[in-house]
Amino acid sequence: MTPSSDDRDAGNAGDSDRPVSDAAIQPAGGLDAPVIAALQNDVFPKQRWGESEVAQLIDGPGAIAFLATGRDFGEVMPLAFVLARIAADEAEILTLGVLQDVRGKGLGRRLVEAVADKARAQGARRLHLEVAARNTAARDLYANLQFSEVGRREAYYDDRGDGPDDAILLARDLR
Ligand SMILES: CC(C)(COP(=O)(O)OP(=O)(O)OC[C@H]1O[C@@H](n2cnc3c(N)ncnc32)[C@H](O)[C@@H]1OP(=O)(O)O)[C@@H](O)C(=O)NCCC(=O)NCCS
């Protein structure tokens, strides 16, 4: 995951009362690529992904993708997503995003747990990811979910006004 500096600041919890308690988390497929690309580009405006890039990822070998949706006045609304990949017995979260106005309501946690459960069921023994050092919301989320620091890439993320940032490599066992 390589969120830009602006993206890294985007972790604040939303203050809306938009209900997400009934949010559904479902496996996503290639047909969900446009929705997931739109979510990715909303959450990470400096790291835009095209629909075909997302579709290739989702349809690629070892892909794990989940989409969280809620109902707003009866209409199904996409709220959050996660993309991950398994290779041999290692899994990696590639990107995770929750729309700003529904943050702090448990969706990020549910999505990471969904990936962990599916990766474990498919034989993965470790789950890896990468997070910007200044992304405190995401780092707290992962710490809460028993991820530990296993490495650091200094000044990995570009300087976009607040100086370059380190990438922290995190992992957790899936047994
Ligand atoms: C990081 C992100 C995915 C968290 O999703 P979320 O749905 O808001 O998180 P949750 O409501 O599931 O929170 C779970 C835990 O994360 C931590 N957390 C979440 N938001 C936080 C914040 N703003 N500040 C501090 N800790 C936070 C807390 O430990 C929280 O546990 P608690 O509710 O028991 O306090 C979301 O803020 C986001 O999409 N940020 C922008 C994109 C991004 O940074 N993605 C990850 C890149 S590695």
Side-chain angles (χ1 to χ4, degrees), residues 53-64 84-86:
E53 204 178 343
V54 173
Q56 259 183 356
L57 244 169
I58 295 179
D59 289 332
I64 296 178
R85 193 166 47 198
I86 304 186

Side-chain angles (χ1 to χ4, degrees), residues 1 11 43 96 98 103-106 108-109 135 137 140-142 144:
M1 252 177 302
V43 174
L96 163 71
V98 177
R103 288 182 191 161
K105 299 171 190 281
R109 178 196 301 272
N135 190 344
D140 280 7
L141 165 69
Y142 300 131
N144 237 312

Side-chain angles (χ1 to χ4, degrees), residues 70-163:
R71 284 191 175 274
D72 218 354
F73 296 106
E75 222 178 295
V76 176
M77 307 290 289
L79 303 174
F81 73 104
V82 64
L83 297 181
R85 193 166 47 198
I86 304 186
D89 60 357
E90 306 273 316
E92 181 187 13
I93 292 179
L94 303 171
T95 183
L96 163 71
V98 177
L99 289 183
Q100 176 108 35
D101 67 347
V102 291
R103 288 182 191 161
K105 299 171 190 281
L107 288 177
R109 178 196 301 272
R110 288 174 63 191
L111 286 166
V112 175
E113 283 174 344
V115 167
D117 288 347
K118 187 158 184 186
R120 187 186 298 110
Q122 294 187 356
R125 295 162 63 87
R126 292 274 281 173
L127 179 55
H128 299 262
L129 60 89
E130 185 187 289
V131 62
R134 292 196 196 105
N135 190 344
T136 50
R139 289 186 67 185
D140 280 7
L141 165 69
Y142 300 131
N144 237 312
L145 291 172
Q146 283 79 52
F147 283 84
S148 325
E149 185 168 335
V150 294
R152 180 181 280 254
R153 294 192 183 112
E154 284 186 21
Y156 182 75
Y157 299 111
D158 291 344
D159 180 355
R160 291 183 188 265
D162 53 355

